[in-house]
Amino acid sequence: MQELAKEAGITVRTVRFYRERGLIPPPRREGRIAWYDEHHLARLRTIAALLERGHTLNGIADLATAFESGRDVGEVLGLGEPTEETPVRLSPEELADYFEGEVTPENLAAALDLGYLATDGDEIVHISRRLLDVSAALVREGIPLAVVLDAGRRVRTHADALAELFVGMLSAHTPEGGADRLRPLAKSVVDAELSMAMDRLLRKTPDR
């Protein structure tokens, strides 16, 4: 514990307090010797970084609980890596920087449940660079992250239905592999229709 505290730049008393609060996992024991490793050090550094960003210890404990209950990368990816999306690896403090003040246990749990986020050891993996950047941009514009995540959940339902429609149509009327090869055409149809639908709606309800 003394060596861990020295590496983390904190006191042994603080390490003991964090352990008692459940903020760091218990050490591996061999007889009377307690072994701490890089995982414990990474967790201590994350706690320090989140404290600097204004999170409370209670809030960090709740975040840790949500983080540890999340699905790992293998479970989220399922059959394999996304074919057109680039996953992004983030530390918990980097995620907090993306969504300043919005990384709450509730939002983290919602993102984990959606499969936007997954865990990989001490890292968080966002399944899509594009979704990460767009979500962060919307939050910077003043839209609460909880609202963005709820919209994502609703969009997922419609996207699944659209994917089923196009994959069924293309698979039925093109040679084997045609559905995958022609997916850009399907995406263009959806993009054009969404653009025109927004035009129609915005003309009816102009910004005030």
Side-chain angles (χ1 to χ4, degrees), residues 6 25 59 111 120 167 173:
K6 182 179 179 181
D120 187 14
V167 170
H173 298 283

Side-chain angles (χ1 to χ4, degrees), residues 18 44-58 60:
Y18 288 166
L44 289 175
R45 288 172 174 166
T46 293
I47 292 170
L50 292 176
L51 285 172
E52 288 180 0
R53 288 160 173 76
H55 289 262
T56 65
L57 284 178
N58 285 338
I60 293 171

Side-chain angles (χ1 to χ4, degrees), residues 2 31-33 45 60 70 80-81 94 97 136 139 141 160-161 185 192 194 208:
Q2 289 177 338
R32 299 183 63 183
I33 302 175
R45 288 172 174 166
I60 293 171
E81 294 278 337
E94 287 172 334
D97 286 341
V139 170
E141 291 294 330
D160 285 344
L185 300 181
L194 177 60
R208 294 180 180 178

Side-chain angles (χ1 to χ4, degrees), residues 37-185:
D37 57 24
E38 291 298 319
H39 174 74
H40 295 91
L41 182 58
R43 179 64 65 86
L44 289 175
R45 288 172 174 166
T46 293
I47 292 170
L50 292 176
L51 285 172
E52 288 180 0
R53 288 160 173 76
H55 289 262
T56 65
L57 284 178
N58 285 338
I60 293 171
D62 290 340
L63 287 173
T65 299
F67 178 71
E68 289 169 358
S69 64
R71 294 174 289 175
D72 64 26
V73 174
E75 186 180 356
V76 170
L77 291 179
L79 298 177
E81 294 278 337
T83 56
E84 296 185 340
E85 300 303 315
T86 303
V88 184
R89 291 182 174 273
L90 302 160
S91 66
E93 54 266 36
E94 287 172 334
L95 183 67
D97 286 341
Y98 257 95
F99 302 101
E100 186 173 353
E102 294 280 335
V103 180
T104 64
E106 294 78 15
N107 285 339
L108 181 58
L112 288 164
D113 183 57
L114 267 170
Y116 284 174
L117 299 180
T119 61
D120 187 14
D122 292 311
E123 288 186 312
I124 297 173
V125 178
H126 196 293
I127 202 66
S128 166
R129 164 66 73 182
R130 286 196 294 179
L131 282 176
L132 174 64
D133 289 344
V134 169
S135 298
L138 289 170
V139 170
R140 286 195 298 271
E141 291 294 330
I143 302 174
L145 181 55
V147 175
V148 173
L149 292 171
D150 182 62
R153 188 181 299 278
R154 295 164 65 187
V155 167
R156 173 77 56 82
T157 300
H158 295 292
D160 285 344
L162 288 168
E164 184 176 356
L165 186 157
F166 280 106
V167 170
M169 178 186 72
L170 295 174
S171 297
H173 298 283
T174 60
E176 184 176 352
D180 191 49
R181 181 173 59 83
L182 297 178
R183 63 192 292 171
L185 300 181

